[in-house]
Amino acid sequence: MTVTARPKLAVWKFASCDGCQLTLLDCEDELLPLSEHVDIAHFLEASSAVVEGPYDVSLVEGSVTTQDDVERIHRIREQSGMLITIGACANAGGVQALRNFADVQEFRSVVYASPQYVATLAESTPISAHVRVDLELPGCPIDRRQLIGVLTALLAGRRPGLPVHSVCQECKLRGTTCVTVAQGIPCLGPVTRAGCGALCPAYGRGCYGCFGPMAKPNTAAMVASLRSLGMSPADVARVFRTFHAAKPEFRAAAEQGERR
C-alpha cells in the first residue's frame, strides 16, 4: 500500500455494540498526537464531519447482518487502500452469530411487534466472508495498545506485528496462577490468542476466548480438558461459539464438543 504524506483514516460501523470504536476514542493521550499525522476523514462515533474517499486505511467494526450491509462493505472495500477489521464481530460474526444456529425468523417474531418491517439475513457473517481483509485485529473489545501499535506501524511503513501465542503465556508473564490447575475452573486460555493481558485469569476467572484462536490451537485436547472439568457437550459447544462462531478452529471444536 502506498501511503500519502498525511494518510486518510476512516472508521466504519456494522452490526456491533460500538465497543471497539470506543476503544479508539479511549486512547485519548495517544489519539491526539496520532491525529497530527493522520487525517481522520470518517468516524461518525467521534464527529459528524465526513471527508470523501478514497481512504488509505479503513477500520471496520461489526458483522454483516443485512443485504444493505453486504452492498455497503463492497463500497467501502473499493475506496480503501487497506481494510482492517477490528474486533470479534467483524472477524468472526461476534456474539450475534449465535443466531446462525437457530431460526432467526422465530427470534424476529418474538422480539419485534411488527417483524415484517425488519429486514435481516439468516446469518451474521464476518467481513472476510464478503470482501478481502488485509488485517484482523482481535478482541471483544480490541486492545488499545494493539490498535495504536497497528496504526503507528502503518505510519512507519512496516507490517504490524500481532501476537499469535496463547493467553497462557501472558498468565506466566504476569505471574498469574493457572485457574484450571489451582481451582479446576474451565479456561480457554490454552487455545486463545494473547493480547488482553490475561485479564480474566488475573481475577480468578477462566478465559472466555474473546480474542479468538491462537496459531495452531490444540482444540481436541481443549475439548477433552473441558469435558474432564464437568462441562456438558452443549456447554463446550457454547463456549467455542460465544465470540468466534465463524472461525474454523473454534467452529470445529464446537462440533467436536457436541459429538462427545
Side-chain angles (χ1 to χ4, degrees), residues 9 23-24 27 30-31 34 38 57 59 82 84 86 135-138 142-163 195:
L9 172 69
T23 297
L24 176 56
C27 290
E30 299 91 343
L31 191 58
L34 183 66
V38 176
V57 179
L59 304 179
M82 172 173 275
I84 301 173
I86 56 174
L135 182 69
E136 292 184 352
L137 193 58
I142 55 174
D143 179 76
R144 56 184 290 179
R145 297 163 300 178
Q146 287 191 1
L147 175 61
I148 293 298
V150 165
L151 294 178
T152 53
L154 293 177
L155 284 172
R158 60 179 175 82
R159 182 74 178 180
L162 294 172

Side-chain angles (χ1 to χ4, degrees), residues 202-216:
Y203 288 91
R205 307 189 69 164
C207 169
Y208 291 93
C210 63
F211 269 64
M214 62 172 288
K216 300 180 180 179

